[in-house]
């Protein structure tokens, strides 16, 4: 399918969340009509406040586990509907799994009915605790199928399966991105992720909670760079196979803490806690595929700059 119009009818499922709301804002700026679907379980209507007045924006409160009935045309669907931080997705693991699997099924059926292109926001968690680093899309992962993180990891892996089979069996025009750790404005201050925890703790005079010895690694992508990647993946002539989107600059959680202390106060102390179960020891994307297929896409916002912008945001909301 080739898209010729310049203004699309776009559904963003999970559009009230951190990434979804940033994506909705960008799509409106680009001149599209956006219908945001969200059950507001982890997303927030506050994230949508700046968009609500826009005549091309509409909001539907709905959990994607329920069938989705939409009268109007739909050209593109982004499926970002799922809790995404480990503490949040573990709160109701059955619902997390079903949101990813049944929600993907409902949205794929919608794409099939409307002849729409559809993107799955998958995750670096499909690689589990990887035995190779950096992780490229050809790596099948090292995932515990029945641990505390499995509801999300296996939910996303099953969603990838559904997307691939809808493409092969029904010729639905699918895209899959595997999103690595991302941060920026509209993150929940209480979502329990490392960036939001450290910044909130530093701003409120508390110690930074370091899980394990802090030697585990992650790589952090600023949300605007992710959104640019998501928009490009929805272009014509992008393959149906998974594409990593992340920052290839790998660092330890200790190094992140040091950077946040440099930005917010060197006297901020650390508090050590145990490492959560199945916490991956390393995570770092190989982004060669994204760079090759998406017009040279690479992250453009460095961590110091992205953290400074995120700190400004948190100062306003906490
Ligand atoms: N982490 C930490 N302190 C916190 C929150 C997280 O040390 O307050 C660690 C966590 O154990 C993991 C890394 O930071 O090793 C990233 O955790 P996050 O929850 O942001 O996401 P993940 O990459 O594990 O999905």
């Amino acid at each position: 399918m080739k898209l010729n119009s310049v203004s699309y009818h776009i559904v963003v499922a999970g559009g009230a969340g951190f990434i979804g709301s940033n994506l909705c804002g960008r799509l409106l700026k680009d001149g599209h009509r956006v219908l945001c679907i969200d059950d507001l379980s982890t997303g927030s209507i506050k994230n949508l406040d700046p968009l609500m007045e826009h005549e091309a924006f509409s909001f539907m409160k709905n959990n994607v586990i329920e069938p989705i009935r939409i009268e109007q045309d739909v050209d593109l669907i982004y499926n970002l509907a799922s809790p995404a931080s480990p503490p949040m997705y573990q709160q109701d693991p059955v619902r997390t799994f079903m949101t990813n699997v049944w929600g993907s099924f409902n949205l794929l059926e919608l794409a099939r009915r409307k002849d729409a292109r559809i993107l799955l926001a998958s995750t670096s968690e499909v690689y589990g605790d990887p035995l190779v680093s950096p992780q490229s899309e050809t790596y099948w992962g090292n995932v515990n199928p029945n641990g505390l993180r499995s509801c999300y990891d296996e939910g996303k892996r099953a969603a990838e399966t559904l997307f691939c089979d809808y493409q092969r069996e029904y010729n639905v025009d699918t895209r899959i991105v595997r999103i690595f750790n991302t941060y920026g404005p509209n993150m929940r201050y209480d979502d329990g992720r490392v960036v939001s925890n450290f910044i909130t703790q530093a701003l409120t005079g508390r110690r930074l909670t370091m899980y394990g010895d802090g030697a585990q690694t992650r790589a952090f992508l600023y949300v605007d760079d992710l959104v640019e990647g998501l928009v490009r993946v929805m272009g014509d002539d992008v393959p149906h196979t998974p594409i990593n989107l992340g920052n290839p600059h790998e660092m330890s959680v200790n190094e992140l803490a040091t950077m946040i202390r440099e930005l917010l106060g060197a006297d901020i102390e650390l508090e050590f806690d145990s490492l959560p179960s199945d916490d991956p020891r390393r995570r770092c994307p190989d982004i060669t595929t994204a760079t090759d297929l998406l017009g040279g896409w690479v992250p453009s916002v460095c961590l110091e700059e992205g953290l400074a912008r995120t700190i400004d945001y948190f100062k306003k909301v906490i």
Side-chain angles (χ1 to χ4, degrees):
M1 174 173 105
K2 291 255 184 221
L3 289 168
N4 298 315
S5 155
V6 284
S7 173
Y8 304 134
H9 292 80
I10 304 180
V11 169
V12 181
F18 154 51
I19 294 170
S21 56
N22 279 285
L23 176 65
C24 287
R26 161 70 189 265
L27 296 172
L28 288 170
K29 250 187 219 142
D30 288 352
H32 304 299
R33 304 200 71 79
V34 176
L35 167 62
C36 165
I37 304 177
D38 203 298
D39 68 350
L40 301 178
S41 54
T42 53
S44 164
I45 204 80
K46 276 209 180 81
N47 287 339
L48 302 177
D49 276 351
L51 315 180
M52 284 296 191
E53 296 303 303
H54 205 298
E55 62 83 27
F57 182 75
S58 48
F59 173 70
M60 181 194 284
K61 187 166 183 292
N62 195 77
N63 187 294
V64 290
I65 293 175
E66 309 299 330
I68 300 156
R69 291 184 191 85
I70 295 172
E71 298 301 320
Q72 66 258 41
D73 289 346
V74 179
D75 302 307
L76 304 176
I77 302 169
Y78 287 87
N79 179 13
L80 284 76
S82 173
S85 83
M88 294 278 171
Y89 70 60
Q90 288 170 27
Q91 262 174 23
D92 190 344
V94 173
R95 195 173 176 85
T96 297
F97 187 81
M98 295 313 288
T99 299
N100 278 293
V101 179
W102 206 253
S104 289
F105 168 74
N106 281 330
L107 288 162
L108 283 161
E109 280 296 313
L110 179 70
R112 201 175 155 199
R113 281 199 305 278
K114 300 285 184 182
D115 194 21
R117 182 173 292 164
I118 180 167
L119 176 146
L120 171 66
S122 184
T123 170
S124 55
E125 295 226 16
V126 300
Y127 301 118
D129 188 8
L131 303 177
V132 298
S133 199
Q135 295 83 54
S136 72
E137 294 85 350
T138 52
Y139 179 51
W140 290 351
N142 175 39
V143 179
N144 178 351
N146 49 39
L148 297 180
R149 294 177 87 111
S150 311
C151 59
Y152 186 70
D153 302 9
E154 296 290 17
K156 290 290 188 189
R157 285 168 71 96
E160 286 198 13
T161 307
L162 269 178
F163 268 68
C164 291
D165 285 332
Y166 263 76
Q167 196 280 316
R168 286 185 287 248
E169 198 171 336
Y170 304 123
N171 209 24
V172 172
D173 191 9
T174 54
R175 302 284 187 277
I176 298 173
V177 293
R178 293 181 176 155
I179 300 174
F180 285 65
N181 295 64
T182 302
Y183 69 99
N186 292 6
M187 284 185 100
R188 281 173 67 137
Y189 71 89
D190 62 348
D191 78 354
R193 285 192 177 106
V194 68
V195 172
S196 45
N197 270 9
F198 282 0
I199 294 177
T200 307
Q201 289 158 349
L203 289 175
T204 54
R206 287 177 288 154
R207 295 187 202 161
L208 309 191
T209 49
M210 181 70 72
Y211 301 160
D213 61 5
Q216 69 272 30
T217 68
R218 296 292 188 272
F220 300 97
L221 181 69
Y222 188 67
V223 66
D224 287 358
D225 284 326
L226 175 69
V227 165
E228 178 62 32
L230 293 174
V231 167
R232 291 192 194 192
V233 171
M234 276 298 213
D236 292 333
D237 303 323
V238 175
H240 308 296
T241 43
I243 299 176
N244 287 339
L245 290 178
N247 189 337
H249 177 69
E250 184 178 11
M251 65 194 303
S252 68
V253 175
N254 266 321
E255 286 173 291
L256 176 72
T258 302
M259 198 177 263
I260 288 176
R261 288 160 91 194
E262 277 165 5
L263 288 167
L264 285 172
D267 54 337
I268 296 164
E269 290 179 30
L270 302 182
E271 167 184 306
F272 287 86
D273 214 330
S274 54
L275 198 62
S277 109
D278 291 334
D279 198 285
R281 282 159 295 173
R282 288 193 77 174
R283 187 183 289 153
C284 178
D286 180 335
I287 60 165
T288 313
T289 308
T291 306
D292 287 352
L293 294 177
L294 307 177
W297 178 89
V298 285
S300 67
V301 180
C302 70
L303 190 57
E304 288 84 351
E305 172 61 26
L307 285 177
R309 291 188 208 171
T310 309
I311 289 167
D312 282 347
Y313 168 77
F314 276 114
K315 279 183 177 163
K316 288 184 208 128
V317 296
I318 58 173

